[in-house]
Amino acid sequence: MRIRSLGVIDDAVVELSPGFTAVTGETGAGKTMVVTSLGLLLGGRADPALVRIGAKAAVVEGRIVMRPDAPAALRAEEAGAELDDGALLISRTVSAEGRSRAHVGGRSVPVGLLAELADDLVAVHGQTDQQGLLRPARQRQALDRYAGDAVAVPLEKYAAAHRRLRAVSAELEEITTRARERAQEADLLRFGLDEIAAVEPVAGEDAELAAEAERLGHAESLASAAQIAHAALAGNVEDPEGVDAGALVAGAHRALESVRSHDPALGVLAERIGELGILLGDVAGELAGYADDLDSDPLRLAAVEDRRAALTQLTRKYASADNTVDSVLEWAERGSVRLLQLDGDDERIGELTVERDGLRLELSALAQALTDARGEAATRFASAVTEELASLAMPHARVTIDIRQTEDPEGVEVGGRLVAYGPSGTDEVELLLAPHPGAQPRPIAKGASGGELSRVMLAVEVVFAGSDPVPTYLFDEVDAGVGGKAAIEVGRRLAKLAKSAQVVVVTHLPQVAAFADRQLLVEKTNDGSVTRSGVTVLEGEDRIRELSRMLAGHEDSASARAHAEELLAAARASS
């Protein structure tokens, strides 16, 4: 990895060994930034506070060697990335303003892709994970992860059934507890629908009636206007001497017709005047028909107004803002659908009750399958952790896993009892430790001293590492609280794990660092930063000096040097 402008690190390169790499240095030297850098490459949260003061952005670049057919390589290729000579190049940039960018194989990608790749590349185990594992809920999750598909498959089915049961139960409760409200709503809908059905409104009827009422209310003035217009166009029989538009146009047409042969232009005008005469005749005929057909029946007008009043009453109650009959009909359509739903409550309650009871039976069977699978995995897991503790200078310690349920009369039936259930099943899982023969198993948070707890957690992490199909494991000071012979056993166990995977350990223990295939020293310069030369590979005399510092607090102690040489020799001999 190359790290720039991240925390105390100005510009540094970290080269990790294929086997066991130990990262050491003074407290506050920047070892944690190495872990943080790897976390950023794995899609971790981008905190602008990590950007070095005065820098515009922090940049972390990594080169990860992998097989072309590795899951991470295939996923990266799907995103458009390319391998560079068998290596995947990843970079992450975090600006001081908080913006984050990611690149994989030369292609800009969403940061979420880094987290997807991380699942197949690196397993991170640190003190935060240890504290989390003290909580029973996390212990159940850890056991489920260790169990693999044996738990994952029924758990997925159980979770789906549990979600459906919650939805069905909520709907049942809503229907039954609101039965009175729903009955009142149904009565109101029936009343409204009956009222609308009694009037029998027709779409657009209100607009047609309004036009008809306007016409009937002004029938006399309309008839008079039509007669006057007709007389102006076609003449009045009672006034044969009167002049009308039809006669004038006809005279104009005759005048032009008589001379049209002398000038074609007048011929064209004559034709247009002839068309005008025809149009006047048509309009005059329609005016005469209109006046004859106009109905001034007051009884019809009264009937129209009564109908409009009935429709207005409906629109006031049931129409939307536009106050039209169409809105009333839309309300009636929606009300009919809703009334069918409300009237079907009894039938729906029956259906939901049957489905709920079936889901509870299904949950019971799946919960039992989960309990059985967890029990089998717990036996294997506890045995593996106990075996690891024997390798960590706790030969007489015994780890067990307690799987229990809490009785609940409202729960589901498992093993002949009604027990409480949740989205992950009915099981409560707790890791217990008996540190020596004769001791009663107790929860690990209560039954272990500080040093024992660290070793138990490390054993748990190592067992998890064995079940995680990833090539690299990062342990961040999981050896805190361990010392002496136990620390040597921790180093030996990590070295053994490194024979089958890449292991990176951030540690303050010389007994652990001595077992590393490569030791990296992180140190600050005089100005308080870590530069390119601030992360160095320690070999020979330099490594002995660092181990001496870790042992005695300074590197010039003769006894510390001797002890450091002895540690290295013992570590090499045991490997």
Side-chain angles (χ1 to χ4, degrees), residues 66 69 98 164 166 219 272 330 480:
M66 62 180 67
D69 60 346
R164 178 57 188 162
R166 289 188 61 183
R272 292 174 62 185
E330 290 173 3

Side-chain angles (χ1 to χ4, degrees), residues 196 201-204 206 314-335:
I196 293 172
V202 177
D206 49 346
L314 291 183
T315 56
R316 285 175 180 172
K317 289 185 178 181
Y318 308 110
S320 57
D322 60 1
N323 283 325
T324 62
V325 168
D326 290 353
S327 294
V328 173
L329 295 173
E330 290 173 3
W331 182 93
E333 184 177 357
R334 293 194 303 269

Side-chain angles (χ1 to χ4, degrees), residues 298-319:
L299 294 178
R300 173 58 186 167
L301 178 60
V304 169
E305 293 297 350
D306 289 344
R307 179 64 176 174
R308 292 185 68 198
L311 294 177
T312 299
Q313 188 174 9
L314 291 183
T315 56
R316 285 175 180 172
K317 289 185 178 181
Y318 308 110

